[in-house]
Amino acid sequence: MRIGELSERTGTPRRLLRYYEEQGLILPGRSPNGYRDYDDATVDRVLQIRGLLDAGLPTRIIKQILPCLDKPRAIHFPDATPEMIATLEHERDRMTGRIDCLTRNRDAIAEYLDEVLRQPPTRRRAEETGGRGGRPEASGEPDMARRAGRSARQ
């Protein structure tokens, strides 16, 4: 597949795909006319790279650990320096902290949704509109400000 299709399938801008190639994270073939040619496995690889970047890993570390993420998982790491191991341990611990935080937030949202969905629909509508039967507002302040403006003009 060409770079445009890979971009569409992964949601990754073409410029980033070229950057991943520069960094040695993906290795496209070349068609006879010189266009980049990616195989289907590259889709998974790009998604994996994006996930690792989103987790905070730098591309230099990603490049070193990508071979370990291939299937079968034959882990052979002759160039693992103490600095790299420390970096990976730090990133793993940081990810664990983020996962814990996301889990707490997800659980809080789930509890809120459970409570809201347990209420009868008419009560939910009344709470959404602040009991005024009008449009939903975050608080009564805008409505009070409108009333205050009206009474000042009268």
Side-chain angles (χ1 to χ4, degrees):
M1 86 187 77
R2 301 234 322 252
I3 195 167
E5 183 181 347
L6 181 61
S7 175
E8 285 179 29
R9 288 178 63 182
T10 61
T12 305
R14 294 173 190 202
R15 193 175 92 223
L16 265 180
L17 294 171
R18 289 185 195 101
Y19 174 75
Y20 296 165
E21 182 183 351
E22 275 178 28
Q23 298 300 307
L25 301 175
I26 57 175
L27 303 169
R30 294 281 178 172
S31 62
N33 60 4
Y35 289 139
R36 290 171 176 85
D37 186 31
Y38 300 95
D39 59 21
D40 287 334
T42 308
V43 172
D44 292 332
R45 175 55 53 104
V46 169
L47 295 174
Q48 199 169 39
I49 291 166
R50 297 214 27 169
L52 292 168
L53 287 168
D54 288 345
L57 288 171
T59 55
R60 69 179 173 78
I61 298 293
I62 292 171
K63 182 178 180 180
Q64 291 177 310
I65 66 170
L66 275 176
C68 299
L69 303 176
D70 287 335
K71 299 209 179 351
R73 291 189 175 201
I75 297 180
H76 177 66
F77 234 156
D79 58 345
T81 65
E83 175 201 28
M84 183 180 153
I85 291 169
T87 299
L88 289 172
E89 288 173 338
H90 171 76
E91 291 301 328
R92 179 203 55 208
D93 295 345
R94 198 176 63 72
M95 285 182 212
T96 299
R98 286 180 67 195
I99 290 167
D100 292 345
C101 181
L102 288 169
T103 300
R104 284 191 307 272
N105 291 339
R106 183 207 55 214
D107 292 348
I109 289 169
E111 281 181 44
Y112 175 81
L113 284 172
D114 287 347
E115 185 62 32
V116 167
L117 295 174
R118 256 191 293 246
Q119 297 175 10
T122 54
R123 184 173 170 201
R124 268 188 266 149
R125 268 195 302 278
E127 287 182 4
E128 289 170 359
T129 61
R132 291 182 303 280
R135 66 181 187 276
E137 295 182 9
S139 71
E141 291 176 20
D143 190 46
M144 291 178 356
R146 273 196 303 275
R147 281 192 224 139
R150 252 194 319 242
S151 61
R153 283 179 276 183
Q154 292 174 350

